[in-house]
Amino acid sequence: ILVTFLRDPLERAVSQFYYHKHNLGTFGESSVTFGDYLRSELSGFREILDNGIVWQFAWDQYLRKRDWKRFGDEASLYRAAIENIRKVHFVGFQDRMDAELPQLARFLGCGSHAEMLPRANATEDKPVNPVVETVDQANFERMAALDIRFVAEVRRTHRQGPL
């Protein structure tokens, strides 16, 4: 059984930024902004920021060098991600997790989702509603256009069982 929860791509990137900034101390200084993070060339960040969700569902996320020969172009990459997520038996969304965990528990035949999956936020220093500058959001939207489209399409067509 395959289960996944998708997250809004911008929220995912902002969360990762705060995780690296506060939990890992990746940037070494506290004055690094989300915009700095988007422009960063630190190892591993490009793979997450540049359509990382679509690459992940195309089963190629963790290759440090993206295998464009395998897909040829963005349209083929996107189709591979859509084809693969259709094989997932339960697709949930992070922003609806409270409502969807009971559905997942029923789907898996568990008595209680609280017993099944403890929840915790690994980044306590992340603001509840972080402010993202308009220019940074626009830059991110260019970098993650396929991710944004993918999550929106899956959200539109999502149902339990293979899509």
Side-chain angles (χ1 to χ4, degrees):
I1 293 179
L2 297 173
V3 173
T4 192
F5 275 79
L6 295 177
R7 189 175 199 177
D8 174 80
L10 180 60
E11 167 58 29
R12 179 178 182 251
V14 169
S15 183
Q16 181 186 347
F17 163 68
Y18 281 103
Y19 178 75
H20 278 275
K21 184 174 181 176
H22 294 293
N23 293 35
L24 301 181
T26 302
F27 307 111
E29 59 179 86
S30 62
S31 63
V32 172
T33 67
F34 182 66
D36 296 332
Y37 167 69
L38 291 177
R39 291 182 293 278
S40 173
E41 293 298 329
L42 289 173
S43 177
F45 288 179
R46 284 278 78 78
E47 289 80 6
I48 296 296
L49 295 171
D50 291 340
N51 296 308
I53 296 170
V54 168
W55 278 98
Q56 183 176 10
F57 280 94
W59 305 128
D60 215 21
Q61 165 63 22
Y62 296 105
L63 295 176
R64 288 292 178 215
K65 187 170 185 168
R66 299 276 168 86
D67 187 3
W68 278 108
K69 288 183 276 184
R70 179 176 175 195
F71 299 107
D73 58 22
E74 284 188 351
S76 297
L77 171 69
Y78 187 83
R79 280 192 305 274
I82 290 293
E83 180 180 312
N84 285 329
I85 200 158
R86 287 184 176 140
K87 298 172 186 173
V88 175
H89 299 94
F90 186 98
V91 177
F93 295 90
Q94 185 270 338
D95 61 311
R96 300 190 314 217
M97 190 173 282
D98 288 338
E100 291 185 344
L101 280 179
Q103 291 176 11
L104 176 58
R106 283 190 300 278
F107 180 81
L108 296 174
C110 299
S112 167
H113 72 282
E115 297 167 10
M116 179 182 70
L117 184 65
R119 291 183 62 197
N121 189 342
T123 308
E124 294 178 12
D125 292 333
K126 179 183 165 206
V128 174
N129 293 310
V131 175
V132 176
E133 300 294 327
T134 303
V135 67
D136 295 335
Q137 184 167 344
N139 287 337
F140 176 78
E141 288 171 358
R142 278 190 295 279
M143 297 169 73
L146 290 180
D147 281 354
I148 293 164
R149 180 176 152 208
F150 178 78
V151 171
E153 182 171 341
V154 174
R155 189 180 291 274
R156 225 179 15 261
T157 61
H158 137 272
R159 61 179 173 73
Q160 304 319 332
L163 292 177

